[in-house]
Amino acid sequence: QVQLVESGGGLVQAGGSLRLSCAASVRTFSSYAMGWFRQAPGKEREFVAGISRSGTTQVVDSVKGRFTISRDSAKNTVFLQMNSLRPEDTAVYYCAASRFGVDRSIDYWGQGTQVTVSS
């Protein structure tokens, strides 16, 4: 069983920055692709960013140039650096782990962390 624990969410003004962290309790962290998803009130959960086992990254167009995903295998942690935040980025952000790629299937989800961007 893999546990994912997110941290770093909070309230920030538009234009500000936050850094989300997701710590994974698994010995084989490098075997998993990792990703971040978000869900705003009344909306479906959507993909935000992903990083493969080899370190290849992808982000959704709406956050391109503002969000960066990275991973630290020594710490079993994945990060989401969020800059130039906008009110529309307000959502619960979830960390996800996948053996086959976050665009294919998710094996584990974190509990989520709230990000609120005020205008």
Side-chain angles (χ1 to χ4, degrees), residues 18-35:
L18 284 174
R19 189 193 197 203
L20 304 184
S21 300
C22 172
S25 62
V26 61
R27 288 183 298 146
T28 57
F29 179 72
S30 59
S31 298
Y32 289 87
M34 302 296 295

Side-chain angles (χ1 to χ4, degrees), residues 29-97:
F29 179 72
S30 59
S31 298
Y32 289 87
M34 302 296 295
W36 289 95
F37 292 72
R38 66 186 179 186
Q39 187 166 17
K43 295 188 176 181
E44 293 187 354
R45 191 172 298 189
E46 65 171 353
F47 169 80
V48 176
I51 185 165
S52 71
R53 290 172 290 181
S54 62
T56 301
T57 63
Q58 61 176 132
V59 296
V60 68
D61 285 347
S62 60
V63 307
K64 200 163 289 184
R66 300 188 297 123
F67 291 11
T68 303
I69 187 171
S70 61
R71 65 190 296 163
D72 184 339
S73 294
K75 297 181 179 179
N76 282 12
T77 301
V78 63
F79 304 97
L80 185 67
Q81 178 66 44
M82 306 186 295
N83 299 327
S84 302
L85 282 160
R86 303 168 180 170
E88 54 264 38
D89 295 318
T90 294
V92 177
Y93 283 70
Y94 296 91
C95 178

